[in-house]
Amino acid sequence: MAPVLLAQGQPVPAAGAGLLDAGARAEVCSRGELDTALAEGAAPGSCLYTGPGKTEDELGHAIARGVRLFSVDSPTDLARLGLCARRAGTPVKAILRLNPADYPRGAGLAMGGAPSQFGADVAWVRASPERFRADGVELVGYHVYVGTNIDDVDGLMGWFALALDAVRQAQEALRLRLETVDLGGGFGHPYARPGDRPAWPGLAERLASLLADLPRAAGPPSGRGDAPPVVAFESGRYLAGGCGTLVLGVQDVKRSKDERFVIADGGINVLGGMQGLRRVPPIMAGVLPLAEPGPDGAEAAADGAEADGAAVLAGPLCTALDLLNHRARLPGAAPGDLLAVPNVGAYGLTAALLAFLGRDAPAEVAVDAGGVRAALRLETAYRRVPERDEANAANEMNAANEVNRVNGADGASGPDGRATGERAEMR
């Protein structure tokens, strides 16, 4: 079994390097994540490049930098990868992402088992296996990721059983020389609240039993002999979640109507921005004071503050959505205090609305064994886009036409034969 570190799970240089040194492999889903992972010391040949909607430009960049294993989500995605591989004169391998017929209950965020942009429906694969072939690419396995942040062993085992069933069904149709099976993740970890990394008692033994009958490859020898396929798990949140604390400065404490507001110098621009957009359930940041309240805090507590310190913790942005916790407990909080939000090592600033309203990003400090390993600040800036080269534009159009030719004039079709509109338009 191989742990896979999602680059989005720990995107901070130096912090991710420690996990790579411990034996994790990097999964990336963008040009920026790939470049960061390689700068941290990841071997390009061990990286897995994933994500729907991959463009010709980023695939070409990944191949040029040495990536040889990709996760593909559809015949169009596979055809585009094959085109880029042939153009580079470099054969590559891919694992096919599957969307199972069902999804596990209890997942914090469902990413499959329902209509989804991720993966190919297993029914589609079984109905049209000939669609999942492309010159220049060898399919060598499967990728299944249905949900995330599952917090109990039974829930995880139910998820992995569904994933393996999807693999078995697809393998009956495709008969691949199986080298890699990526069963995704789902390993939960407290996020932005106090708590310890779960221990998962008995999970290893139950997984070993479940994986004992993993289907073997069919077809000619793959060079691996009788070796079973590598089974990978995406453990970024679980590995990195406890490796970060957000420090906020209190800027104001005031009352509005019947509520007390504590306003900090960071909000959804530095933490959980997707929750702020209500795209996933909102966070309830668990906040801990870094020191006992000073004289100003005692005065604020006496000035009409609730006895239990009940407050709305808000950020500095000019939007009513900028709330980190509408039921925080912050007795005695006063301007100048520092607050700590624990367990924010996973995703970090890259999941926040960092560019919204143009506020400066906070510094990120990587600490190891009591010493500072790196102090960094992520910057966003505009850069001028060069004029489009007409020759390159013609190449892009030819590439789009080739992908569409492989998949039919009306784009890729689903298991019922109707067009799904997966026409590739590369810019």
Side-chain angles (χ1 to χ4, degrees), residues 69-393:
L69 182 62
F70 297 79
S71 173
V72 294
D73 288 70
S74 71
T76 298
D77 200 22
L78 179 59
R80 185 181 294 113
L81 175 60
L83 181 68
C84 292
R86 295 193 303 274
R87 181 177 294 162
T90 304
V92 298
K93 295 181 178 182
I95 56 178
L96 176 63
R97 183 159 181 170
L98 302 172
N99 184 18
D102 199 2
Y103 65 94
R105 305 302 185 264
L109 178 64
M111 298 179 68
S116 174
Q117 71 267 43
F118 297 110
D121 291 356
V122 173
W124 185 11
V125 176
R126 291 177 65 85
S128 304
E130 72 283 354
R131 300 290 305 280
F132 296 88
R133 300 280 189 257
D135 292 340
V137 183
E138 181 185 5
L139 275 180
V140 295
Y142 301 99
H143 180 196
V144 193
Y145 198 125
V146 183
T148 186
N149 213 20
I150 301 171
D151 59 7
D152 67 276
V153 172
D154 288 341
L156 283 168
M157 290 304 302
W159 185 94
F160 293 133
L162 284 171
L164 281 175
D165 184 62
V167 169
R168 291 187 186 97
Q169 292 186 53
Q171 180 67 353
E172 287 176 359
L174 296 180
R175 309 297 289 171
L176 305 181
R177 296 188 296 185
L178 211 54
E179 295 183 7
T180 301
V181 174
D182 184 338
L183 293 178
F187 304 100
H189 192 287
Y191 178 65
R193 58 182 173 83
D196 298 323
R197 181 182 289 116
W200 310 120
L203 177 62
E205 294 78 11
R206 293 176 65 178
L207 265 177
S209 176
L210 184 67
L211 295 173
D213 61 346
L214 187 67
R216 292 296 187 266
S222 63
R224 293 174 50 83
D226 294 327
V230 172
V231 178
F233 294 94
E234 299 170 26
S235 311
R237 178 197 297 270
Y238 184 75
L239 294 173
C243 302
T245 299
L246 173 65
V247 179
L248 299 171
V250 176
Q251 302 302 305
D252 199 358
V253 179
K254 64 181 182 180
R255 297 190 67 84
S256 176
K257 311 299 182 184
D258 294 327
E259 290 192 87
R260 176 169 168 259
F261 284 79
V262 174
I263 301 172
D265 57 1
I268 58 175
N269 60 314
V270 297
L271 179 68
M274 290 186 289
Q275 286 90 347
L277 290 175
R278 304 298 191 260
R279 300 302 299 169
V280 292
I283 62 172
M284 294 286 287
V287 185
L288 305 172
L290 285 182
E292 293 297 320
D296 291 341
E299 180 179 342
D303 187 22
E306 287 81 350
D308 62 357
V312 177
L313 178 60
L317 303 184
C318 291
T319 171
L321 295 176
D322 193 16
L323 301 176
L324 294 181
N325 192 331
H326 61 272
R327 293 196 298 270
R329 295 290 181 263
L330 295 169
D337 289 350
L338 296 179
L339 308 175
V341 182
N343 287 324
V344 295
Y347 304 102
L349 286 178
T350 60
L353 296 179
L354 184 60
F356 185 48
L357 299 182
R359 298 185 68 89
D360 289 340
E364 296 179 88
V365 182
V367 178
D368 184 23
V372 174
R373 186 168 177 178
L376 306 165
R377 192 183 303 275
L378 182 62
E379 294 186 356
T380 59
Y382 286 104
R383 64 170 183 258
R384 187 173 298 279
V385 177
E387 292 186 13
R388 195 174 183 200
D389 183 272
E390 291 303 319
N392 288 338

Side-chain angles (χ1 to χ4, degrees), residues 43-67:
S46 69
C47 292
L48 172 64
Y49 202 109
T50 70
K54 295 181 285 291
T55 67
E56 179 191 356
D57 179 69
E58 62 183 300
L59 288 172
H61 176 76
I63 293 171
R65 298 223 58 186
V67 177

